[in-house]
Amino acid sequence: MAELIFLIGLLAPFILMIWLVRTRIRSQAKMAASEPSEIELDRFSTEQADSSADGLVMGRQHTADHEIIPPDHSGGEPAGIRAMQGRR
């Protein structure tokens, strides 16, 4: 019985690694097939640039309306990380 547990413990990481890689590849392929991006959106709606006396150009790019993300209480962390930390 101990040999069987040892063998399972020895092979489990490799099997898990193969399974996770295959799952990741399938999910990436599914996302790529689900939404083909044919429409090019402007990354920035306006750009404001100022030049200084020494020749440097300082620019400020304002995001377009489609990139504005509504505020939330996540702190920028994904939901899975917050769930692991107990901060849903």
Side-chain angles (χ1 to χ4, degrees), residues 18-31:
I18 292 169
W19 177 64
L20 287 175
V21 168
R22 290 184 66 197
T23 305
R24 179 180 52 110
I25 290 171
R26 275 192 307 230
S27 66
Q28 286 176 344
K30 192 183 294 185
M31 289 303 295

Side-chain angles (χ1 to χ4, degrees), residues 8-87:
I8 290 172
L10 196 62
L11 294 177
F14 296 107
I15 295 170
L16 181 64
M17 179 183 62
I18 292 169
W19 177 64
L20 287 175
V21 168
R22 290 184 66 197
T23 305
R24 179 180 52 110
I25 290 171
R26 275 192 307 230
S27 66
Q28 286 176 344
K30 192 183 294 185
M31 289 303 295
S34 69
E35 186 179 342
S37 59
E38 297 173 356
I39 301 171
E40 297 261 347
L41 297 174
D42 292 335
R43 177 158 175 117
F44 300 104
S45 61
T46 60
E47 185 171 332
Q48 176 183 12
D50 296 324
S51 298
S52 62
D54 57 358
L56 295 176
V57 177
M58 298 167 282
R60 180 179 203 173
Q61 297 172 336
H62 304 280
T63 57
D65 291 338
H66 58 80
E67 288 189 359
I68 296 176
I69 300 172
D72 59 357
H73 299 293
S74 68
E77 293 179 334
I81 301 288
R82 287 183 289 138
M84 284 191 288
Q85 294 174 344
R87 297 184 302 141

